[in-house]
Amino acid sequence: MDILYFLIPLALLITGFFFGIFAWSVKNKQFEDLDTPPYRILNETEREQK
Amino acid sequence: MVYQLIHQLGADQYYSLKKSATFIREARPVPTSPDSKYLALDELDIPKNQGVRFYIEGIHCSACLWLIEKLSEWVSDIHTIRLNIGTSIATVQLKPDGKISSVATALNRLGYRPHLIQEKDEENKIQQNIRQKELIRLGLVGVLTGNIMLLSFAMYTGANQEWGSYFKSLSLVLFIPVLTYGALPFYQSALASIYRFSKTKSISIDLPISFALIVGFLASLSQWKNPDVHPYFDSLATLVFLILSSRYILQRILDRHNQSKHYLKFYEPDTARRLNTNTNEYEPVPPQYLNTGDVIQVLRHETIPADGVLIDEEGIVNQSIITGESSPVTLHKGEEIFCGATLLSESVKLRTTKTSNETRIHQILSESEVLAHSKPKILSLFDRVAGYLVSAIVLISVLALGVFHWVGLPTQEAITRCLALIIITCPCALALGTPLTLSLSLIKAAKEGILFKTSSTIEKISQVTSILFDKTGTLTHGSFDILSYRTYPERGSIPEKEIQSVIYSMEKKSDHPIAQALVQYFEKHSPKITPIENLETLPEGGVAAEVMHSKWKIVPNHQFSSHSKTQSISTEIIVYKNDTAVAEILLGDKIRESSKQAIQSLKEKGLSIGILSGDSENAVTQVAKTLHIPVGRARAQHSPEQKSAYIKELSGSEKLMMVGDGMNDSAALSQSYVGVATPGGLKASLRHADIYLNQSGIHLVPRIFEISQHAFQTIKIGIGFSLLYNFIGTTAALMGWVSPLFAAVLMPLSALTIFLFSTMREGS
């Protein structure tokens, strides 16, 4: 059970890492426009078929 | 036309994309010289390095996105173009020598109406920054709450002694950022509400929340040494997370309703044509660069770019945007003409008297802006309940301490019970349920075409006692239409078809708005063009001509008096053949089909209905009669300033809702208790309204009341639930049953019931 002394902080570190990625993506304006990208991806597929 | 253009550009895919959808884009008339109207955009002094932004009217679907983003391949001036469907704002990166005017022209050719956003981006940047911060805060609290819950779960399921204190310390470490950074908005708003208390006599619901958070934290610390007592960290963190997220969602919905209306000057055209005295030619200039005394030319169907005085002999304009009067007005040399009006006759010259920020329309707008800001904020039911709750809890705790002392309970235990009381009675269900209900009903309303600009409007609606409607464009169509056409029995053997084709052929040669309305009306009957001779305009109005050896006359009837007809008639026209009257045509502003029904259902709700219009007494009375509105409440000939004054006068005794569309209503919309704007002449008036309808007419107005009442009722029931839980909580706390485990169950449970209840009532 003593491994928990190591594993829980490690899990928290990983959590922190993912939170860092989230904060970065917010700052990188990835959450600014949530409406357009789902449509944009449809259009681009269409173009490749041509 | 639009099809041809798209086809030329090799973009047939556009149609394959939308094949199944019934998508026929309304082919707006493409101007003969599309460039000239946007030319002045190139003269503007705006930084281009960060991209030029356009607000594009007419975006509805993914095909629009495809079409607009494709422009970068078709128009050589564009480097890249990105469209945001949610906001209808396209950001264009121009090539070094790219011109704004060619981008605008290209967008216009595709059938959209581009509006260049000239305001600086800074305000937007600040907003963006706040949004990002809130989202990160929410993310952080979410991550920490999840982990605290895991650790607490271990504690509740029996981890104690060594492991217990390890988990406890860890959850303390995780809770500190939630308590400090995560809950910061609560402390700020709680402090602000204390600071303003002397003025508002109310407290924000954030005060009890902050109080519970801090007390809960201190209570947990004070019991730190006791291995049998768990900290409250998990329930407190959950509380912060739930409230933060429900507020974040509500704020995003409101932002969405409010954006894109701030910076648009829809009343001004993009280009004014100014006379250059050196070259004697008209040059395109942005309207805001015009000076007083400039001579400008306005073409037919264009918007007047500045206030001025007519230099030409005569011009016909539609001034409904400013005056609310629907019939075209004929202006003569030397008469004043206002910015925002539309020219209906052939091009005219005018000398500007007031430009840019000094025009009358701009004055009305800025006045409305001041009024809108000074609107008193209402104290919502929700804040009032929070206020009572706090006083009640403080009172109960003090009383309880006295009672505990009297019954001889140890002081330590008495204090613990009171702390538990404060933590568990925190109105978290209320703080979560209300924004949630508001968000859901705002979404529901938006789907039906009703956009609320602030959430407190929902509560205000329930207090409205009377409604005033603008006439032109709101109750009526706001355009000059043929109301009825009938032939007289005296016409004898002249065939119906012949009369129609003669009227059509004669009026087709004229530019007068009445003539155009006639032509448009008879076009539907596909008349034959008859050769006409000696067409002349009569001095008393109307036209005369010879058609196949008979003399025809189409003249307005000046003796015409309003015999109680059901519509608002402004002009009667009689058609004569060889001095025998053969037909009559009535023109005017048609009442919308939906108005009658909407007014009926509003009356059934017990609201008093009135009209407040800038149009003539006669027209207003007739509309009032048709719609069964008491003539005493139908006000005519009110200027924008008078409208606002009238509403101010009435607001002493009544809670007024004003429904209107035009510029002339904007001050009235801001002055009224609740202002509702319908789409009409001018989008600029929208920013002073509390609610914006995206369909013309008033058929959505009854729905506003239904949706608001439903939502308000949901909130009230939610408050009831919350009080019930608080009652249970209080009893439990005073009896000493509340442990952190009890709190961890009861607090989320109350939040969950409110959540389920609100979604079920407001969802679907």
Side-chain angles (χ1 to χ4, degrees):
Chain A
M1 281 294 272
D2 284 347
I3 190 75
L4 280 183
Y5 282 112
F6 171 69
L7 282 183
I8 293 182
L10 181 69
L12 289 179
L13 270 182
I14 296 172
T15 308
F17 172 70
F18 280 105
F19 173 72
I21 293 181
F22 171 70
W24 170 81
S25 65
V26 171
K27 286 278 174 210
N28 200 27
K29 300 179 187 172
Q30 297 193 10
F31 288 85
E32 286 300 311
D33 179 8
L34 299 176
D35 304 297
T36 322
Y39 293 112
R40 196 172 278 139
I41 196 169
L42 288 177
N43 293 338
E44 277 160 17
T45 321
E46 198 76 17
R47 187 158 58 198
E48 276 160 25
Q49 281 175 1
K50 201 172 166 182
Chain B
M1 184 67 198
V2 174
Y3 173 76
Q4 265 180 4
L5 192 78
I6 292 169
H7 189 79
Q8 274 170 22
L9 294 167
D12 285 312
Q13 268 188 72
Y14 172 78
Y15 285 102
S16 70
L17 239 131
K18 290 298 296 181
K19 203 180 268 169
S20 55
T22 50
F23 182 86
I24 301 159
R25 164 159 287 288
E26 210 183 311
R28 296 203 183 107
V30 177
T32 43
S33 55
D35 296 53
S36 75
K37 126 175 165 192
Y38 295 113
L39 270 182
L41 292 180
D42 298 329
E43 313 288 321
L44 284 169
D45 178 30
I46 47 172
K48 290 174 193 159
N49 47 359
Q50 286 187 16
V52 189
R53 293 180 305 149
F54 283 99
Y55 172 75
I56 301 177
E57 256 186 285
I59 301 281
H60 349 246
C61 58
S62 61
C64 296
L65 172 79
W66 181 81
L67 199 57
I68 285 174
E69 295 200 340
K70 264 289 206 208
L71 274 181
S72 61
E73 291 172 27
W74 302 331
V75 179
S76 56
D77 298 66
I78 303 174
H79 182 251
T80 50
I81 177 165
R82 299 288 274 187
L83 175 73
N84 181 332
I85 284 194
T87 57
S88 296
I89 290 176
T91 309
V92 184
Q93 300 289 348
L94 291 169
K95 290 202 178 140
D97 55 344
K99 285 203 171 90
I100 303 179
S101 62
S102 35
V103 182
T105 307
L107 287 168
N108 189 262
R109 285 240 182 123
L110 290 176
Y112 302 104
R113 287 170 73 189
H115 300 273
L116 185 70
I117 297 173
Q118 295 176 15
E119 259 66 11
K120 297 242 166 59
D121 214 10
E122 276 150 31
E123 171 80 3
N124 199 20
K125 282 265 161 61
I126 295 170
Q127 288 297 324
Q128 193 178 43
N129 230 323
I130 294 175
R131 272 203 307 273
Q132 289 179 351
K133 263 197 183 146
E134 280 176 13
L135 191 56
I136 290 178
R137 187 192 308 277
L138 188 60
L140 180 70
V141 173
V143 162
L144 294 175
T145 304
N147 283 290
I148 293 173
M149 279 171 130
L150 283 176
L151 294 170
S152 306
F153 189 73
M155 285 187 267
Y156 292 136
T157 47
N160 46 23
Q161 269 121 41
E162 188 198 337
W163 286 108
S165 66
Y166 175 54
F167 288 143
K168 223 170 169 176
S169 317
L170 271 178
S171 60
L172 173 69
V173 170
L174 294 182
F175 184 64
I176 285 173
V178 176
L179 186 74
T180 50
Y181 178 69
L184 199 60
F186 300 124
Y187 307 142
Q188 284 165 345
S189 118
L191 281 179
S193 100
I194 294 173
Y195 182 70
R196 285 193 317 257
F197 184 75
S198 57
K199 262 191 252 162
T200 56
K201 295 277 173 271
S202 74
I203 57 146
S204 140
I205 197 160
D206 287 356
L207 188 64
I209 295 173
S210 316
F211 199 52
L213 281 176
I214 293 169
V215 168
F217 180 66
L218 294 178
S220 307
L221 283 189
S222 73
Q223 297 287 325
W224 195 255
K225 295 271 166 55
N226 186 346
D228 300 325
V229 176
H230 305 296
Y232 284 103
F233 300 151
D234 54 332
S235 11
L236 296 176
T238 315
L239 178 81
V240 173
F241 177 67
L242 288 177
I243 300 175
L244 276 183
S245 35
S246 69
R247 289 189 184 169
Y248 180 83
I249 294 167
L250 180 62
Q251 195 51 46
R252 289 292 77 76
I253 292 171
L254 289 174
D255 281 355
R256 179 172 274 235
H257 291 184
N258 286 319
Q259 70 202 170
S260 82
K261 284 162 204 151
H262 300 299
Y263 26 57
L264 302 172
K265 282 184 166 179
F266 284 97
Y267 56 90
E268 266 179 10
D270 290 315
T271 298
R273 263 169 281 275
R274 174 168 66 183
L275 184 71
N276 184 331
T277 39
N278 298 330
T279 58
N280 224 9
E281 270 172 24
Y282 289 97
E283 291 175 344
V285 230
Q288 62 265 47
Y289 291 3
L290 287 174
N291 295 317
T292 307
D294 283 346
V295 173
I296 52 171
Q297 185 192 34
V298 183
L299 302 182
R300 190 168 159 193
H301 295 313
E302 274 188 348
T303 312
I304 315 288
D307 289 359
V309 170
L310 199 63
I311 297 177
D312 285 336
E313 283 307 317
E314 199 183 78
I316 303 168
V317 290
N318 180 344
Q319 305 202 95
S320 63
I321 230 173
I322 302 152
T323 60
E325 196 177 335
S326 51
S327 330
V329 181
T330 309
L331 295 172
H332 301 280
K333 188 174 180 170
E335 281 187 307
E336 245 193 325
I337 189 164
F338 295 110
C339 171
T342 319
L343 185 72
L344 298 172
S345 55
E346 281 303 320
S347 78
V348 292
K349 285 192 268 308
L350 43 116
R351 186 177 302 280
T352 57
T353 50
K354 281 175 182 165
T355 57
S356 186
N357 290 350
E358 283 159 8
T359 56
R360 180 156 177 223
I361 198 163
H362 189 91
Q363 294 296 328
I364 297 174
L365 267 181
S366 40
E367 193 187 314
S368 314
E369 191 120 16
V370 174
L371 281 174
H373 282 298
S374 61
K375 225 175 213 188
K377 286 220 170 63
I378 64 153
L379 183 57
S380 68
L381 180 65
F382 161 74
D383 282 328
R384 286 198 305 270
V385 169
Y388 295 139
L389 214 59
V390 174
S391 357
I393 290 166
V394 170
L395 204 69
I396 292 175
S397 325
V398 172
L399 278 179
L401 274 180
V403 171
F404 289 150
H405 185 73
W406 186 60
V407 297
L409 207 71
T411 322
Q412 174 68 33
E413 175 66 16
I415 290 176
T416 311
R417 287 189 188 182
C418 286
L419 291 180
L421 174 74
I422 290 170
I423 299 164
I424 203 151
T425 51
C426 154
C428 59
L430 201 59
L432 167 75
T434 308
L436 184 75
T437 309
L438 291 174
S439 311
L440 289 169
S441 49
L442 292 184
I443 293 173
K444 187 166 72 178
K447 270 189 199 149
E448 296 184 26
I450 306 165
L451 303 180
F452 285 81
K453 289 173 75 179
T454 50
S455 52
S456 65
T457 313
I458 287 199
E459 194 173 334
K460 279 171 137 186
I461 298 277
S462 64
Q463 299 162 358
V464 168
T465 54
S466 33
I467 310 183
L468 290 177
F469 289 102
D470 169 49
K471 184 186 77 72
T472 315
T474 308
L475 292 176
T476 66
H477 283 282
S479 55
F480 208 56
D481 282 323
I482 309 295
L483 300 176
S484 77
Y485 156 77
R486 66 187 186 94
T487 48
Y488 292 137
E490 290 83 32
R491 73 187 158 97
S493 59
I494 311 167
E496 190 97 5
K497 252 321 207 230
E498 188 186 328
I499 300 175
Q500 285 177 8
S501 60
V502 169
I503 299 173
Y504 180 75
S505 316
M506 280 169 72
E507 297 293 355
K508 211 169 159 61
K509 309 252 169 182
S510 169
D511 279 326
H512 196 275
I514 290 182
Q516 281 167 16
L518 287 170
V519 168
Q520 217 176 11
Y521 178 78
F522 286 112
E523 213 142 50
K524 281 179 285 189
H525 301 278
S526 51
K528 270 184 271 164
I529 303 265
T530 334
I532 49 172
E533 284 156 40
N534 302 332
L535 183 77
E536 54 173 333
T537 311
L538 302 171
E540 70 269 23
V543 284
E546 268 176 50
V547 185
M548 290 181 285
H549 314 296
S550 335
K551 197 157 171 58
W552 288 78
K553 263 203 305 189
I554 305 174
V555 286
N557 181 5
H558 293 295
Q559 282 88 48
F560 161 71
S561 65
S562 59
H563 27 85
S564 66
K565 285 275 168 26
T566 52
Q567 303 276 24
S568 74
I569 301 152
S570 47
T571 314
E572 185 183 41
I573 286 173
I574 309 281
V575 183
Y576 293 95
K577 184 187 181 186
N578 297 332
D579 293 327
T580 317
V582 292
E584 70 163 22
I585 300 156
L586 298 178
L587 289 117
D589 192 5
K590 243 189 225 167
I591 294 176
R592 290 178 194 275
E593 300 283 319
S594 56
S595 296
K596 205 165 188 170
Q597 210 184 350
I599 285 185
Q600 185 57 34
S601 80
L602 288 171
K603 272 186 179 169
E604 279 163 17
K605 291 186 201 300
L607 297 156
S608 115
I609 312 284
I611 300 182
L612 184 55
S613 172
D615 213 344
S616 70
E617 195 80 50
N618 206 7
V620 172
T621 315
Q622 274 168 356
V623 172
K625 273 185 189 155
T626 317
L627 295 173
H628 306 295
I629 294 170
V631 179
R633 289 197 68 103
R635 295 301 184 102
Q637 281 173 319
H638 276 52
S639 71
E641 294 82 2
Q642 285 169 320
K643 278 188 175 186
S644 158
Y646 176 69
I647 288 187
K648 199 172 181 181
E649 186 192 314
L650 283 187
S651 1
S653 53
E654 294 171 64
K655 299 274 189 212
L656 281 173
M657 176 192 262
M658 172 79 203
V659 184
D661 68 329
M663 194 57 247
N664 59 326
D665 298 314
S666 80
L669 290 176
S670 331
Q671 184 67 256
S672 60
Y673 193 58
V674 178
V676 181
T678 62
L682 197 63
K683 289 213 170 170
S685 62
L686 307 182
R687 61 175 155 186
H688 308 304
D690 300 296
I691 301 174
Y692 165 51
L693 306 178
N694 66 18
Q695 289 166 31
S696 306
I698 62 163
H699 59 283
L700 285 173
V701 177
R703 280 300 288 159
I704 297 178
F705 283 88
E706 283 157 24
I707 289 175
S708 304
Q709 271 158 8
H710 194 261
F712 191 47
Q713 210 174 14
T714 311
I715 291 176
K716 279 199 223 155
I717 299 175
I719 290 177
F721 265 121
S722 174
L723 289 178
L724 180 71
Y725 276 112
N726 269 337
F727 178 72
I728 299 173
T730 312
T731 320
L734 291 179
M735 300 308 285
W737 299 333
V738 173
S739 62
L741 180 59
F742 185 89
V745 174
L746 187 77
M747 287 165 79
L749 187 70
S750 65
L752 190 70
T753 9
I754 300 253
F755 175 83
L756 287 178
F757 175 71
S758 310
T759 24
M760 269 157 69
R761 254 183 77 94
E762 295 297 325
S764 64

